[in-house]
Amino acid sequence: MDTKFQIFVSSTYEDLKEERREIINLILELGHIPVSMEFFPASNDDQWTLIKRLLDVSDYFIVIVGGMYGSENKESGKSYTQLEYEYALDNEIPVIGFIQDDSVLLANKCEKDPLKIEKLNDFKSIVTSKMCRFWKIPQELKSNAAVSLDRLFQDCPRQGWIRAPENNKLNKPLVRPRKLNQITAESFFKSEEDIKKVFNTAQDSFYGFIQYYYLIEGLYCHSNTIAVSDSTLVPIIRNKVSANHPLIDMLWESAYKAIHMFVQLKDILKERSEFAHINDNATILLSYIYYVLCELFGGVPYIPKLITTPEDAMVSRTSVSTIREDSISNLLKVLKSDHKGNMILTDFAKGMLVKWNLQAKKYIQAKIFAEQIINSEGYSLVEPEKIFNTSGEILAGHNALANERSVRYPNFTKYCQKGQFVPYMRYTEILFMTSEIYFNLAEYGQAITYLNMIKERNHHPHFSGDNHLFVKYLLQEWRDDLGMEGSYFSALKRNGYASKVLAIQGWQEILPIPLKELNLNPRIEQNNGY
């Protein structure tokens, strides 16, 4: 049985940001669930109840100790880090401590107050009396933590997040669902600030999914401009992806992790009209995830509501057409909401409507939403060297500099990231799709106009050839401009060019369902050819 553990990560924050990221990355890489409190104000006594409740449903506890004692609770005089550690011990939650070696402590990251120094040393004594290791650099910390966690899992087995019994043929993991949902409702969603923090956490999860998607999609359709030598990535660029490829598994898991978080968020906010904009954002991002999954895998398990009982989880693969129809319906509801001038939210929803309708070859409907975005005059084509360092083209995206806490996958940074902004959808893609729409409506003049707008911006010669060559040149420009951004593969498939351009067979136009998922969910059948 595949068990996922919830692991609480505790430390002071400002001085140990990099170290926390290393541990959180490790936990995610191991396939488990980190609980990290940096999104919540550690000095706010109202949060102590929340912290305890999260600890109550955590399986393991990691504390990282540097040269700072941290914010103190007024009543006890102890730091919140120490209170968390002691609470874990009192409640018999298995703990691991990691203490930074004194020889590498930086002066600007050490306590100056003699009283706090004494408290810190006392706390270190408590930590060293239990399972504990020392470290000097973040990479060593991560390595030590990997070994220690493996030992802890064996020595102190815990319930964790487990899938339902196989004979019930359930689809997705269940994580003490009733209890988790009650904690979320009571603790996370008390104020607008709390809701925004949880939504930001969900967005971070979505960004993790984006990184795996862009890398796999870009390499699979040969959009990379940097030579690939990594043994893990070579099979992808050779279009020989197997069901047990680790990146396919990571993509699938990150997708459903984000889906679970957004569905849970929407369930809590459905009766709270003051947070309609956050609810609608979650709707759009869910639609984006399902669009990607349908493009890559065909029909996939569709989870439109919170899983709280075994019956809710009994879902096999849902057809692409059903997911598409539901997504379009939900996106149209978003457009009916009053977003008080939030054009970006509205246009992102319209952009997803263009994608879904174009996928279904409903060109008239796709044209309506595409032209609305273009006619809004809210966007313009930016010079190539500025595209990813300004927001002028971005309908939706991730600001990598402004979100330092986000998990970063090194191969994504190396092969995909082109600047400060990582777009989920940008104006250039809207113009490409609009050009494709007009071509399929036999309005060739308009199709050529939109293609040449992009060619002119890219300082490429205008297209002036015969109409039967148009799609070929459209796709070439698409790859040159939007390569490694998650849309070229779909364009190849829609226009019947994937097999020819990528030298693959028809069954390779969708990827294999991860073997791990098939083993855990007998209701899912593998895609043909794998």
Side-chain angles (χ1 to χ4, degrees):
M1 182 175 292
D2 182 37
T3 302
K4 298 184 182 300
F5 297 118
Q6 182 165 302
I7 304 171
F8 194 103
V9 181
S10 176
S11 77
T12 50
Y13 178 59
E14 291 297 335
D15 58 320
L16 293 172
K17 285 183 179 180
E18 184 178 358
E19 289 78 2
R20 292 177 71 91
R21 279 198 295 268
E22 290 291 343
I23 294 295
I24 290 169
N25 284 346
L26 169 66
I27 294 170
L28 291 171
E29 289 166 8
L30 293 174
H32 300 296
I33 304 100
V35 175
S36 179
M37 294 305 299
E38 58 259 48
F39 308 125
F40 299 83
S43 60
N44 186 341
D45 287 350
D46 290 339
Q47 296 299 330
W48 179 233
T49 299
L50 166 60
I51 293 170
K52 289 189 290 185
R53 288 177 176 175
L54 286 172
L55 282 166
D56 287 339
V57 291
S58 292
D59 298 292
Y60 298 99
F61 181 94
I62 290 177
V63 65
I64 312 167
V65 183
M68 304 295 291
Y69 185 59
S71 301
E72 297 178 1
N73 175 276
K74 294 178 181 179
E75 293 182 5
S76 67
K78 295 179 180 180
S79 71
Y80 281 88
T81 305
Q82 182 169 348
L83 285 175
E84 291 164 0
Y85 185 82
E86 292 178 348
Y87 187 88
L89 289 178
D90 291 343
N91 288 273
E92 300 182 346
I93 301 170
V95 299
I96 316 176
F98 297 97
I99 299 179
Q100 190 171 21
D101 193 291
D102 290 342
S103 65
V104 295
L105 288 172
L106 301 177
N108 65 339
K109 293 184 178 181
C110 287
E111 292 291 0
K112 303 297 189 295
D113 183 338
L115 180 58
K116 281 200 168 188
I117 293 174
E118 181 180 353
K119 289 182 176 182
L120 176 60
N121 289 334
D122 289 343
F123 179 43
K124 286 182 178 179
S125 297
I126 297 173
V127 175
T128 53
S129 68
K130 303 294 181 182
M131 187 175 179
C132 175
R133 298 189 70 169
F134 290 84
W135 56 277
K136 291 184 178 180
I137 60 175
Q139 292 75 19
E140 182 185 13
L141 169 64
K142 183 176 181 180
S143 176
N144 287 345
V147 175
S148 299
L149 277 172
D150 183 63
R151 176 182 168 186
L152 197 64
F153 294 161
Q154 296 181 43
D155 294 346
C156 305
R158 302 280 282 179
Q159 177 186 359
W161 297 38
I162 60 174
R163 291 180 183 267
E166 187 171 320
N167 59 4
N168 282 345
K169 299 183 178 181
L170 299 187
N171 178 41
K172 297 310 299 173
L174 294 179
V175 191
R176 298 185 284 265
R178 219 28 110 173
K179 190 173 184 182
L180 180 65
N181 191 37
Q182 290 168 356
I183 289 167
T184 302
E186 295 169 4
S187 305
F188 278 126
F189 296 93
K190 287 184 177 179
S191 68
E192 182 175 1
E193 182 183 7
D194 289 339
I195 290 171
K196 287 181 178 178
K197 285 172 182 173
V198 174
F199 178 64
N200 288 339
T201 303
Q203 284 186 305
D204 287 343
S205 181
F206 175 82
Y207 181 53
F209 157 75
I210 284 290
Q211 293 179 71
Y212 291 123
Y213 168 51
Y214 279 14
L215 183 65
I216 292 170
E217 188 271 353
L219 296 181
Y220 196 77
C221 58
H222 312 160
S223 299
N224 56 299
T225 57
I226 301 173
V228 175
S229 58
D230 188 309
S231 59
T232 304
L233 304 181
V234 168
I236 300 176
I237 201 166
R238 291 179 179 173
N239 305 110
K240 296 181 178 179
V241 181
S242 66
N244 61 1
H245 194 286
L247 280 186
I248 298 298
D249 186 57
M250 291 176 187
L251 173 72
W252 187 276
E253 285 202 9
S254 64
Y256 279 96
K257 177 185 175 184
I259 286 170
H260 174 81
M261 295 179 73
F262 284 124
V263 168
Q264 188 175 48
L265 185 70
K266 286 176 61 62
D267 183 76
I268 297 299
L269 298 184
K270 62 187 176 183
E271 303 297 333
R272 302 182 67 172
S273 59
E274 71 271 29
F275 298 114
H277 60 294
I278 292 180
N279 198 343
D280 288 343
N281 258 303
T283 297
I284 300 169
L285 293 175
L286 279 168
S287 176
Y288 189 109
I289 295 170
Y290 279 117
Y291 176 84
V292 169
L293 293 177
C294 288
E295 286 291 297
L296 291 185
F297 300 105
V300 294
Y302 184 50
I303 305 172
K305 62 181 181 179
L306 188 66
I307 294 176
T308 57
T309 67
E311 290 75 20
D312 290 339
M314 295 186 69
V315 180
S316 57
R317 295 178 71 169
T318 302
S319 69
V320 172
S321 60
T322 298
I323 295 174
R324 180 172 58 234
E325 289 171 8
D326 204 32
S327 292
I328 289 175
S329 176
N330 291 333
L331 290 166
L332 290 173
K333 291 176 184 176
V334 170
L335 295 185
K336 293 179 181 179
S337 299
D338 181 10
H339 297 120
K340 299 179 180 179
N342 190 338
M343 180 181 68
I344 294 177
L345 180 63
T346 300
D347 287 346
F348 191 17
K350 290 177 180 177
M352 286 308 307
L353 284 164
V354 176
K355 282 178 174 282
W356 282 115
N357 281 297
L358 191 53
Q359 182 195 70
K361 302 186 184 304
K362 296 181 178 179
Y363 300 116
I364 297 296
Q365 291 92 324
K367 171 186 170 183
I368 291 171
F369 297 111
E371 289 288 7
Q372 286 179 8
I373 296 172
I374 294 170
N375 293 334
S376 72
E377 299 182 351
Y379 311 92
S380 61
L381 290 173
V382 179
E383 283 299 305
E385 65 274 9
K386 298 180 181 178
I387 290 174
F388 302 97
N389 292 310
T390 65
S391 58
E393 278 203 31
I394 308 296
L395 273 74
H398 180 89
N399 187 335
L401 291 184
N403 294 275
E404 294 182 358
R405 69 176 184 272
S406 299
V407 175
R408 289 174 172 82
Y409 178 46
N411 277 329
F412 169 82
T413 304
K414 179 178 181 180
Y415 294 105
C416 302
Q417 191 166 343
K418 302 175 183 179
Q420 173 182 347
F421 290 94
V422 177
Y424 305 152
M425 185 182 295
R426 61 182 171 103
Y427 187 53
T428 298
E429 184 182 358
I430 298 298
L431 294 179
F432 273 129
M433 291 192 294
T434 308
S435 181
E436 180 183 340
I437 290 165
Y438 274 111
F439 180 81
N440 281 285
L441 291 172
E443 297 183 44
Y444 303 123
Q446 278 289 77
I448 292 171
T449 296
Y450 283 118
L451 173 59
N452 283 338
M453 286 173 61
I454 301 169
K455 280 182 162 290
E456 184 172 331
R457 184 278 301 279
N458 293 339
H459 310 298
H460 294 166
H462 281 200
F463 172 79
S464 56
D466 295 334
N467 290 338
H468 72 278
L469 295 174
F470 176 81
V471 173
K472 175 183 177 181
Y473 281 90
L474 173 72
L475 293 173
Q476 286 178 349
E477 196 72 22
W478 203 311
R479 176 190 171 185
D480 290 346
D481 199 309
L482 290 174
M484 309 303 290
E485 293 183 50
S487 70
Y488 177 54
F489 188 41
S490 296
L492 285 174
K493 293 201 296 180
R494 283 197 306 268
N495 290 282
Y497 273 68
S499 296
K500 179 179 180 181
V501 171
L502 305 182
I504 59 176
Q505 299 182 52
W507 58 269
Q508 292 175 294
E509 292 188 13
I510 57 174
L511 301 181
I513 303 293
L515 183 60
K516 184 177 179 181
E517 184 68 18
L518 295 176
N519 291 336
L520 292 166
N521 181 13
R523 296 194 67 182
I524 298 182
E525 295 182 0
Q526 182 58 278
N527 287 324
N528 292 332
Y530 295 99

